[in-house]
Amino acid sequence: MHRQRWLAGLATLLLATTTHAATLSIRPIEFGNGQTARGTITVADDTRTIIDWNLEVATVERLARYTPGNTPIKMVDQVLVSGDGLRMTVATSPDSIDDGGILAFRARNPLLDVGAWVADFSGSAVGGGQALYMAGANFDVLDLQQPPGSDFLVARAVSSDRFDLVPVQFSNGVTMWGSIVTDGRTGALDDSGVVDWDIVVDAVTADVFTPANSRLSASLTSVSADGSTLTVDNPDGSLMFIKGTLGGRLYALQLADFTDQSPVGGQAGYYRGRLGVDLVDLGAPAGAWSVTGADAVRGVPEPAGAVLVAVGALMARLARRRRQLT
């Protein structure tokens, strides 16, 4: 009996001291230059403090773009639009010996290394097929590894004559995607049935901030009563995740800064040491500014001179704060 009471009391104590957490998605911050911050912040329900974060700044670099202007030669063979008009497929080799289909676009001059092969199951690619893009020094090949005698899905319809490509994932975060416009026919598709295309190749790199590689710097932050929103007070509040310095300059992701060192309305910043700085003016009214939620932050990028001033002021403020804590 005493043992049962002891175990019951221990269970009650554990339940009372267990920390419940809420994970919130930050509002995407578009810094420009193809850079967008996304991710999550976890707060403890019992203390309303930030206990974890998983944030990243994704940078998109356009490697190539293919349109009728630079790739007018169409190679469309054994391409099929389904009877319901919803799918576009390319036939694989029937036996890994005979040619299958091809969907590709290239420059008129065969000596120019410019072209996009969305799917090719012909020639040397009969054994499983390949996707390929070329744009001068930028190029890559992906083995599709498709079985013989099948239909490979390359695009899905978004209207009766427009198809969005199924993204092709190459190595190192490189993706080929885009759209193809047809004449609206179903069934077999040939060169005459493809009337327009806009295909791009993007390289995406992600700069990740977690407790393992960054530290929290926050002031005047709070969580709503229902635990659904994390805010920073305007004025005087700030929220930043700092990796340290790179080349003697700050390396950090700043979600909001309303201190006297920031412009009126506050700012967000992506500081990459000597590699560069990107700041956006938040234009926030006085009060609690939400850093979580679905609405994207699309501020106006700061001019270069203002960026240098802001970086210097922020570094000085962080140095003063460290001295105060020591």
Side-chain angles (χ1 to χ4, degrees):
M1 179 65 70
H2 291 295
R3 178 177 176 80
Q4 291 176 343
R5 289 177 179 175
W6 180 82
L7 289 174
L10 178 60
T12 301
L13 178 62
L14 289 175
L15 288 173
T17 56
T18 297
T19 298
H20 298 282
T23 299
L24 308 174
S25 296
I26 69 167
R27 298 171 62 184
I29 303 175
E30 299 179 1
F31 290 105
N33 302 318
Q35 296 170 337
T36 303
R38 293 186 175 88
T40 59
I41 294 176
T42 301
V43 296
D45 281 353
D46 57 345
T47 62
R48 304 297 186 187
T49 57
I50 296 173
I51 59 174
D52 196 12
W53 56 93
N54 189 345
L55 307 170
E56 72 172 33
V57 180
T59 302
V60 179
E61 179 186 2
R62 180 63 45 87
L63 300 181
R65 183 176 183 181
Y66 308 99
T67 68
N70 66 350
T71 51
I73 302 300
K74 298 175 282 188
M75 292 172 280
V76 185
D77 183 46
Q78 299 186 52
V79 178
L80 183 72
V81 175
S82 59
D84 57 10
L86 297 180
R87 293 160 49 90
M88 182 184 296
T89 59
V90 178
T92 68
S93 168
D95 51 14
S96 297
I97 299 175
D98 295 323
D99 281 351
I102 183 172
L103 177 61
F105 308 90
R106 65 174 176 81
R108 191 176 302 279
N109 185 344
L111 299 180
L112 292 179
D113 295 331
V114 177
W117 280 252
V118 178
D120 183 8
F121 299 97
S122 64
S124 61
V126 294
Q130 66 182 19
L132 164 68
Y133 74 91
M134 294 191 300
N138 294 319
F139 66 92
D140 203 352
V141 180
L142 176 68
D143 290 331
L144 297 178
Q145 300 179 351
Q146 295 301 300
S150 61
D151 294 316
F152 179 63
L153 178 66
V154 292
R156 294 185 176 90
V158 292
S159 67
S160 62
D161 62 353
R162 178 189 170 95
F163 292 79
D164 280 355
L165 295 183
V166 176
V168 180
Q169 305 289 341
F170 293 92
S171 58
N172 301 318
V174 175
T175 302
M176 180 165 65
W177 60 282
S179 62
I180 295 174
V181 178
T182 71
D183 60 2
R185 74 178 72 174
T186 59
L189 197 65
D190 57 19
D191 289 3
S192 64
V194 176
V195 299
D196 196 11
W197 56 95
D198 190 353
I199 299 171
V200 298
V201 179
D202 290 334
V204 180
T205 56
D207 189 5
V208 178
F209 292 75
T210 70
N213 64 11
S214 59
R215 62 181 175 86
L216 173 67
S217 176
S219 62
L220 299 180
T221 61
S222 60
V223 180
S224 60
D226 61 1
S228 64
T229 306
L230 175 65
T231 60
V232 179
D233 285 355
N234 179 18
D236 299 330
S238 66
L239 178 58
M240 182 163 51
F241 302 87
I242 304 172
K243 285 189 176 182
T245 59
L246 181 62
R249 296 182 180 176
L250 184 66
Y251 190 177
L253 174 60
Q254 180 187 67
L255 301 188
D257 182 19
F258 300 110
T259 65
D260 56 5
Q261 304 296 333
S262 68
V264 175
Q267 68 183 13
Y270 178 39
Y271 302 85
R272 292 167 287 129
R274 290 191 177 275
L275 299 179
V277 178
D278 292 280
L279 302 175
V280 294
D281 188 350
L282 298 178
W289 170 260
S290 175
V291 295
T292 60
D295 295 336
V297 177
R298 297 183 177 91
V300 179
E302 296 283 354
V307 168
L308 294 176
V309 172
V311 172
L314 182 57
M315 291 288 285
R317 178 162 59 87
L318 291 174
R320 287 197 302 270
R321 182 177 296 179
R322 284 195 296 268
R323 287 196 297 269
Q324 291 170 357
L325 294 175
T326 59

